[in-house]
Structures are given as C-alpha cells and as structure tokens.
Amino acid sequence: QVQLVESGGGLVQPGGSLRLSCVTAGFTLPYYSVGWFRQAPGKEREAVSCIMNRDGSIYYANSVKGRFSISSDNAKRTVYLQMNNLKPDDSATYYCAMAPTRCPSPQYEYKDWGQGTQVTVSS
C-alpha cells in the first residue's frame, strides 16, 4: 500500500551536487519519519539523514554534516536530499524509507523502502 518513488541519482564529478527526491504515498499514520540510507558494494547499509513530519526533527550522519540537507514539501508529499560538495566516498545506492517512529530510529523500524537510485561520484 505504501509507495515510495525515488529519482535524482546519476554521475557527478567530485565537488558537484545532486538532489534526490522521494515521492511518498499511502502512509496514513499521523506520525512518521522519512529516512535516506545508502549502501556501497561490500559495505553495510548506513543511515544518511531523516526527517519527521510532525516536529520537524532532523538527523544527519557525521560523514555528511555540512554538505547534505534534507527537506520536505508536504503538499507534494515529497522529501528531498540536497547533496553538495560530493566526494567519491559518497558513491552508493541511495534508498528512501518510511517508519512509524521518530527521527532518528533504528533501521528495523523502516518497513517500506524505495527501489534505490545510484549515485556515482567520479572524475
């Protein structure tokens, strides 16, 4: 029932920028969080950022603080991840997901996931 549609991935040079979008639908609980995660080959999936709809709580992983920015457009039911000053280590498949809990939450709280979008940072 819950649908998440991602877009915005691609190939970018180091120092460049990308904006990822996650359009959500079908989630009816009054409180929820939308999170961005990433996974590179051979590495664990890690939380990048999240935002809660009611209180606006925001979380960033230390590795992206000062470079990434999460935001939401409630009318469009869309969450964005603006990624600036990208580094090769940012290369990964990026996923958005929804949880009926606060931001941040453990990964097991995220039950619905998007299909993933590939981000490659290379010269």
Side-chain angles (χ1 to χ4, degrees), residues 27-49:
F27 203 83
T28 60
L29 294 177
Y31 298 92
Y32 62 89
S33 298
V34 176
W36 285 99
F37 300 81
R38 67 186 182 187
Q39 187 167 25
K43 296 185 177 181
E44 296 290 324
R45 185 175 63 195
E46 64 174 336
V48 176
S49 182

Side-chain angles (χ1 to χ4, degrees), residues 10-18 38 67-68 83-92 94 118-123:
L11 174 65
V12 65
Q13 295 183 358
S17 298
L18 287 172
R38 67 186 182 187
R67 299 189 298 118
F68 290 11
M83 306 186 296
N84 298 323
N85 193 23
L86 284 161
K87 305 175 181 179
D89 286 347
D90 295 319
S91 297
Y94 284 71
Q118 181 67 41
V119 172
T120 302
V121 184
S122 176
S123 60

Side-chain angles (χ1 to χ4, degrees), residues 36-75:
W36 285 99
F37 300 81
R38 67 186 182 187
Q39 187 167 25
K43 296 185 177 181
E44 296 290 324
R45 185 175 63 195
E46 64 174 336
V48 176
S49 182
C50 62
I51 186 169
M52 188 175 184
N53 70 315
R54 284 301 188 103
D55 64 10
S57 298
I58 291 175
Y59 161 84
Y60 296 103
N62 288 334
S63 59
V64 306
K65 286 181 179 178
R67 299 189 298 118
F68 290 11
S69 179
I70 192 169
S71 62
S72 63
D73 185 329
N74 188 60

